[in-house]
Amino acid sequence: MRITRRHFVAAAASAAVFPSPRASAQAAWGQTLAQARGKPVFFNAWGGDERTNAFIEWTAIRLRAEFGIELRHVRLRDTAEAVQRVIAEKSAGRDAGGAVDLVWINGPNFVAMKERGLLFGPFAQELPNFRYVDTVGKPSTIVDFTVPVEGYAAPWRMAQIVYVYDAARLANPPRSIPALRDWALANPGRTTHPAVRNFLGATFLKQALFELAPDSAVLQREAGGEYEASVAPLWRWYDALRPALWRQGRQFPDSGPAQRQLLNDGEIDLMVSFNPAEAAVSIANELLPKTARVYTMAAGTIGNTSFVAIPYNAANRAAAMVASDFLMGPEAQARMSDPRQLGNPSVLDIAKLPEEARRFFAAVPPIAGMPTQAELGRVLPEPHPSWMTRIAADWERRYTG
């Protein structure tokens, strides 16, 4: 077909009336940035780790400088505190102007808020930096504990279970869950785990369940009729292990940092962590000896992605979206991956980044104790949240009642 001037005029007029999707998205994001400027963001996030708290303080400085946003960290002992706050506001009819703008959320808490309609969204795909997220190589960035996120939360950090030890004291750490029990029996009091009311303690049990359950595939479904038969080997394993734990399993550290202190003090030789950079970061911050190292079980270990979500009644929704996008962006992700800071693997596909953005990652130095991706081995998916809820309740009933 011959293209005439009339065709060009018609096409130009059409473009003016119907702007491209990209132009529309840029315009919408520009409006979001304008609405966010000068607003606070009450970020409800677990406050039990000083390195994470320091990272959030750095984020607040950058958001203030670049976007005019005041990020205020509301330190939680448990994410459920924020969930209950939003539930209480909904019950009171406070459907706008809520106290929680942004919440660090995962697993059962995400499911609870999503199923009750307590989340704003979908919004994650609207964030400019979402285009760089590795949704193919890291499927947990769009599926949280078997539940599709569907844009109701934005990924910001990744984790995988590792076991931490001092290579100067322990030459051959156990590489399977049964071997861990046997090693503990031969070395009583030299390992432990956080209390199961702490997520890391519950994850210690989930990891064992993955290897001991007769059919680990059932863990991807809601815990139902298979539950008792699946967890029976776990409790037999734990019954044998418990007397060989630190302080005969009658007392447990409250958190990961408390557990790390026991390792640093030489009270234990082996601990669990959800951060592959636990040894590297701790060495860099003089919290563990230079001979500290991490490893994973031969059959693999559980990995997941942390998300931030915006409650349906958030008072400062636009500012919360900008903060979510910044946490997902190259600058924040590179700083997060630095072992001197947090050492978390990035949620991004670095190959997707523009050249100028890769410089943030190029500036991260290699450091002792940091495992390679190959050394981390197979990443296992998180079980459905119902498994964690039930085994945590069963553990409390069986061992603290």
Side-chain angles (χ1 to χ4, degrees):
M1 183 180 74
R2 179 171 172 269
I3 305 299
T4 66
R5 182 175 182 278
R6 184 162 58 87
H7 286 109
F8 279 116
V9 171
S14 175
V17 175
F18 302 108
S20 69
R22 182 169 183 176
S24 297
Q26 289 176 335
W29 186 246
Q31 291 177 353
T32 300
L33 290 173
Q35 292 168 2
R37 185 162 291 277
K39 299 293 193 307
V41 173
F42 289 91
F43 183 19
N44 285 238
W46 179 61
D49 178 55
E50 288 308 313
R51 291 174 301 188
T52 299
N53 295 341
F55 178 82
I56 293 174
E57 289 174 13
W58 171 84
T59 301
I61 293 170
R62 293 293 297 118
L63 286 172
R64 186 184 308 119
E66 190 162 346
F67 302 105
I69 291 171
E70 292 293 329
L71 186 77
R72 299 173 188 174
H73 185 186
V74 180
R75 299 188 182 191
L76 305 177
R77 288 188 301 176
D78 191 313
T79 305
E81 297 170 25
V83 177
Q84 290 304 317
R85 193 168 297 150
V86 178
I87 291 173
E89 289 177 346
K90 186 175 181 64
S91 298
R94 189 176 176 182
D95 294 327
V100 180
D101 292 312
L102 192 65
V103 57
W104 175 5
I105 196 166
N106 287 89
N109 289 307
F110 173 74
V111 174
M113 292 194 77
K114 187 170 181 246
E115 290 182 345
R116 290 172 181 239
L118 297 176
L119 295 176
F120 163 68
F123 74 96
Q125 284 87 343
E126 298 178 22
L127 305 178
N129 284 315
F130 188 81
R131 79 189 76 170
Y132 305 127
V133 173
D134 187 359
T135 57
V136 176
K138 300 165 185 171
S140 65
T141 55
I142 52 174
V143 178
D144 186 26
F145 287 62
T146 75
V147 178
V149 175
E150 298 177 319
Y152 284 89
W156 74 294
R157 59 192 291 185
M158 298 202 66
Q160 185 179 347
I161 290 178
V162 294
Y163 297 85
V164 190
Y165 67 108
D166 182 351
R169 301 202 306 260
L170 180 58
N172 297 300
R175 298 297 300 269
S176 72
I177 292 301
L180 171 61
R181 174 202 55 205
D182 296 343
W183 175 84
L185 291 173
N187 300 273
R190 303 305 297 173
T191 191
T192 186
H193 61 79
V196 172
R197 64 187 66 91
N198 178 284
F199 77 94
L200 188 54
T203 302
F204 177 84
L205 295 179
K206 283 190 296 180
Q207 175 63 37
L209 178 62
F210 235 111
E211 197 164 328
L212 297 171
D215 179 10
S216 63
V218 303
L219 304 180
Q220 297 303 296
R221 304 191 295 266
E222 186 171 1
E226 316 97 332
Y227 177 79
E228 294 298 340
S230 298
V231 300
L234 171 68
W235 299 132
R236 287 196 294 271
W237 172 83
Y238 194 81
D239 285 343
L241 173 71
R242 186 189 177 202
L245 294 175
W246 177 70
R247 297 192 176 177
Q248 296 82 48
R250 296 192 181 95
Q251 185 177 348
F252 298 89
D254 291 332
S255 63
Q259 183 193 218
R260 183 180 58 230
Q261 187 63 51
L262 294 177
L263 182 63
N264 193 45
D265 291 344
E267 286 201 54
I268 61 173
D269 292 325
L270 186 64
M271 59 173 263
V272 65
S273 172
F274 220 155
N275 185 354
E278 178 71 46
V281 172
S282 297
I283 291 170
N285 290 281
E286 299 182 346
L287 298 174
L288 285 178
K290 294 180 179 178
T291 46
R293 294 292 182 270
V294 303
Y295 74 99
T296 56
M297 294 300 180
T301 55
I302 293 173
N304 71 24
T305 300
S306 288
F307 295 88
V308 289
I310 303 172
Y312 83 104
N313 63 342
N316 303 292
R317 182 179 295 170
M321 290 178 67
V322 175
S324 302
D325 187 61
F326 180 82
L327 288 169
M328 203 165 54
E331 182 184 5
Q333 288 291 310
R335 185 177 179 87
M336 207 178 301
S337 69
D338 189 334
R340 297 169 299 181
Q341 305 300 329
L342 294 176
N344 287 120
S346 175
V347 300
L348 302 180
D349 180 349
I350 309 303
K352 289 183 179 179
L353 292 176
E355 189 64 36
E356 64 180 44
R358 296 184 197 180
R359 64 183 170 84
F360 292 116
F361 290 90
V364 176
I367 198 164
M370 191 70 184
T372 65
Q373 195 62 44
E375 289 171 333
L376 289 175
R378 183 184 175 204
V379 180
L380 303 175
E382 282 277 6
H384 187 277
S386 55
W387 290 88
M388 178 171 167
T389 302
R390 291 187 67 172
I391 63 173
D394 280 356
W395 185 89
E396 293 281 358
R397 178 179 53 79
R398 291 172 66 97
Y399 302 109
T400 65

